[in-house]
Amino acid sequence: MKIAMIGSGYVGLVSGACFADFGYRVVCVDADAAKIAKLERGEISIYEPGLDQLVASNVAGGRLSFATNLGEAASDADVVFIAVGTPSRRGDGHADLRHVFTVAAEVAAQISHYKVIAIKSTVPVGTGDRVDEIIRRSKSPSLFSVVSNPEFLREGAAIEDFKRPDRVVVGVPDDRSRAVMEAVYRPLSLNRAPVLFTDRRSSEIVKYATNAFLATKITFINEVADLCERAGADVQQVARGIGFDGRIGPKFLNAGPGYGGSCFPKDISALIKTGSDFEAPLRIAETVSLVNEERKRAMGRKVIKACGGSVKNRTIALLGLAFKPNTDDMREAPSIAIVQVLKDAGAIVRAYDPKAMENAKGFMDDVKFAPSVEACLDGADAMVLVTEWDMFRALDVMEIKRRLKQPIVVDLRNVYRPDEMEAAGFTYVSIGRESVRATSA
Ligand code: NAD
C-alpha cells in the first residue's frame, strides 16, 4: 500500500506517521517548504507527545518520507489523502475550501492508474461531490473514487487516538473504493476498532455533528456551573451525578472557561452556515457558539471581580495559555479573550505556558512571558490557572502564597480544592463551586 498524505500539519503528519508505522510507504507532502525542510532534518514544528519518535523511527525504517511537490507521491500512490487546512472563510464563517480544491486539481493531473482520493480535512457536506467534479474534468471516473474519511484525533493524544480510535468513519461512493479503504484500515479493524462505512454525505456530516455535539456538552455543563455557583452547589458533584447516566456518559463534562482550539469554533460556525444554506437552521449550535464566545470574556471579568473589582496597574499571572494541555496550539484559546479583557481593564499581564509561549506571541500583545512558573508568580497580585497542564496540578500552595503579593487564585479548571485553599488562607475562585475569601486579601 502506497499512501500520499497531502498537508503535513497536525492531522497529516500524525496520520502519515501512523500509517507508516502500520508498514505502508507514506510520503507526507506540504506546500510549506520550511516545514518540509525541518521535517527532513528530523525537526517537528508542532508539539505532540510521542510524534518525534514515531516520525524518526519510520523515517529510519524507510517507510516515511517528505516532499514539497505532490507530483511523484500522488502519481505512485494507491490512496491520496487530502489533509490540508479548512479554516473559517474570512468574514462569513463558511469553511474555506480553497486548499482542498487546489490539491484536488493538482492530484487530478497525476492520475494514470486507479486510486482513491480520501478527504481527511473537515469539509462541509457535498464537498466530496465537488472534488469528484473537479477530477472528472480531466480524468475518466473509472480511474478514481473520492471518499470521505474524517479524522477525530485530539491534539495532545493524537497518536493514541489514531491507533486506538473510538471508530473510523469512511463515506464511499462504490464497492471498489470501499475495498481499498477496508485494506487501509485493516490494522485497526484487526485491533477491534469499529470501521463504519456510510455514503459520502453522511460521513461528511458525522464529523461536524460530532464536534457540535461535544461543544454543546461542554457549553451545557458550563452554564450549569454558573447556576451551581450562584445556588451554592458544586458542579463537579453535579457532573458526576449526570455522567453516571449511561445515556449521557462522563466525558466532556468538565466545566471551564469555554472551548477553543483549531476545530470546535470553526467547525461549529461552518455547520451553522451549512444549515442555513440548506434551510435547516441549527439553532442549538448557534446558541452554543454565542454562549461560548461570551463565556471567554466573562472569565476575564471573573478575574477582575476576584481581585476586588479593579485590576488597574495590578500584575496578573496566567498559568497556561494553550487551548488545552499537551499542545502548543493557541488557536481560539480562551486565554486570548481573557488577556484582552484584563489588558482593557489596565492590568499588567504576565504568563507562563510550558509549550505554547512562542505561538502565543502571535495572538497577544504586551504580555510578559515568564521563563518559569516561579518567575510568573513572583510579586504578582493574583494567579489565574487557565490551562490545566499536569505540572500546575502539583504546585505547592504555600509556595504559591509566598510568591504572590496577594493570596488570590482564580482556578478556571477546578484543579485545586476549595477547602485546602481556604485552609491555606487564599481568596480562591473556581468554576461552579463556592468561592472562599482570605480575610487578609
Ligand atoms: P494544519 O494547519 O496544522 O495543517 C494543514 C497543512 O496543509 C499546512 O501545513 C499547510 O501548509 C498545508 N497545505 C495547505 N495547502 C496546501 C497545498 N495546496 N498543498 C500541500 N499542503 C498544503 O491543519 P490541521 O490541524 O492538520 O487540520 C487539517 C484538517 O483536518 C482541517 O480540515 C481540520 O479541521 C481537520 N482536523 C483537525 C484536527 C486537529 O486536531 N488539528 C482534528 C480533526 C480534523
Side-chain angles (χ1 to χ4, degrees):
M1 180 75 69
K2 286 188 188 160
I3 288 177
M5 185 65 65
I6 317 301
S8 305
Y10 274 98
V11 166
L13 189 58
V14 170
S15 315
C18 288
F19 280 135
D21 215 42
F22 295 163
Y24 304 149
R25 293 187 84 80
V26 180
V27 183
C28 281
V29 178
D30 204 286
D32 180 343
K35 192 176 271 188
I36 292 297
K38 272 181 140 187
L39 286 166
E40 281 176 333
R41 291 197 300 271
E43 295 166 25
I44 312 272
S45 37
I46 51 174
Y47 173 72
E48 181 62 43
L51 186 58
D52 42 2
Q53 297 97 307
L54 190 76
V55 168
S57 67
N58 284 286
V59 168
R63 294 177 298 273
L64 180 62
S65 58
F66 305 101
T68 47
N69 189 311
L70 62 74
E72 202 180 328
S75 70
D76 280 358
D78 303 301
V79 183
V80 179
F81 282 93
I82 302 181
V84 295
T86 50
S88 266
R89 201 160 69 190
R90 234 171 254 282
D92 73 356
H94 268 291
D96 184 343
L97 298 174
R98 219 174 331 165
H99 301 308
V100 173
F101 296 147
T102 304
V103 170
E106 288 176 16
V107 171
Q110 303 301 328
I111 297 176
S112 53
H113 66 266
Y114 178 78
K115 57 184 88 250
V116 170
I117 320 302
I119 306 177
K120 207 164 237 326
S121 300
T122 301
V123 294
V125 58
T127 304
D129 296 1
R130 294 173 69 187
V131 167
D132 187 86
E133 276 163 34
I134 290 171
I135 304 178
R136 270 170 201 254
R137 281 181 211 147
S138 59
K139 293 289 144 86
S140 152
S142 64
L143 282 175
F144 72 95
S145 306
V146 175
V147 312
S148 157
N149 177 213
E151 184 49 60
F152 300 96
L153 59 76
R154 292 164 303 165
E155 289 174 15
I159 296 170
E160 179 67 14
D161 282 353
F162 192 90
K163 291 193 164 181
R164 267 172 276 282
D166 287 344
R167 81 311 207 175
V168 172
V169 178
V170 191
V172 290
D174 49 47
D175 289 344
R176 194 174 181 189
S177 57
R178 178 182 171 135
V180 173
M181 294 306 284
E182 273 172 354
V184 167
Y185 283 110
R186 203 169 143 71
L188 292 183
S189 51
L190 285 175
N191 230 354
R192 302 197 185 289
V195 180
L196 173 70
F197 283 92
T198 67
D199 64 88
R200 203 162 56 199
R201 287 184 166 237
S202 300
S203 165
E204 289 168 337
I205 290 185
V206 167
K207 174 65 193 177
Y208 282 102
T210 301
N211 277 359
F213 195 89
L214 293 173
T216 302
K217 214 172 164 188
I218 295 171
T219 307
F220 179 79
I221 200 68
N222 283 344
E223 287 202 314
V224 171
D226 292 347
L227 172 63
C228 289
E229 224 166 286
R230 285 170 187 66
D234 178 335
V235 72
Q236 286 181 305
Q237 294 184 35
V238 172
R240 272 171 67 81
I242 302 171
F244 278 125
D245 190 319
R247 294 166 300 180
I248 297 172
K251 293 183 181 167
F252 277 73
L253 286 179
N254 295 320
Y259 62 78
S262 66
C263 290
F264 282 6
K266 82 164 172 70
D267 290 350
I268 279 83
S269 123
L271 179 66
I272 293 166
K273 286 291 170 188
T274 305
S276 108
D277 289 349
F278 282 85
E279 294 179 16
L282 293 156
R283 285 183 289 260
I284 292 176
E286 285 169 17
T287 305
V288 164
S289 175
L290 288 173
V291 169
N292 189 65
E293 280 315 301
E294 172 49 31
R295 183 170 190 83
K296 295 180 190 174
R297 289 188 294 275
M299 295 299 110
R301 295 195 293 275
K302 192 179 178 88
V303 174
I304 296 171
K305 194 168 165 208
C307 292
S310 170
V311 289
K312 198 164 171 45
N313 297 325
R314 298 230 240 159
T315 300
I316 310 297
L318 298 195
L319 294 190
L321 295 169
F323 85 93
K324 66 174 180 182
N326 297 323
T327 179
D328 60 357
D329 202 333
M330 280 297 299
R331 289 176 278 185
E332 306 283 342
S335 63
I336 301 168
I338 295 169
V339 165
Q340 194 58 55
V341 171
L342 294 175
K343 301 251 27 145
D344 289 349
I348 298 154
V349 179
R350 217 191 267 160
Y352 173 76
D353 185 289
K355 295 286 174 196
M357 288 195 287
E358 208 39 55
N359 285 346
K361 290 176 186 160
F363 288 87
M364 42 189 68
D365 296 325
D366 203 13
V367 168
K368 293 184 181 136
F369 295 100
S372 64
V373 174
E374 294 74 21
C376 189
L377 297 180
D378 273 339
D381 292 281
M383 166 184 137
V384 184
L385 193 138
V386 185
T387 312
E388 70 280 31
W389 286 89
D390 277 345
M391 68 181 299
F392 303 146
R393 291 181 186 276
L395 295 179
D396 175 346
V397 292
M398 293 320 289
E399 180 69 17
I400 296 175
K401 198 172 170 206
R402 266 194 297 279
R403 290 185 182 272
L404 290 176
K405 196 150 53 169
Q406 298 192 72
I408 301 174
V409 168
V410 181
D411 177 0
L412 301 180
R413 301 291 182 169
N414 289 349
V415 163
Y416 305 112
R417 286 182 43 178
D419 54 346
E420 286 176 3
M421 297 305 273
E422 183 170 30
F426 280 95
T427 286
Y428 176 71
V429 175
S430 56
I431 300 281
R433 305 186 300 182
E434 217 174 325
S435 297
V436 297
R437 292 243 151 238
T439 39
S440 60

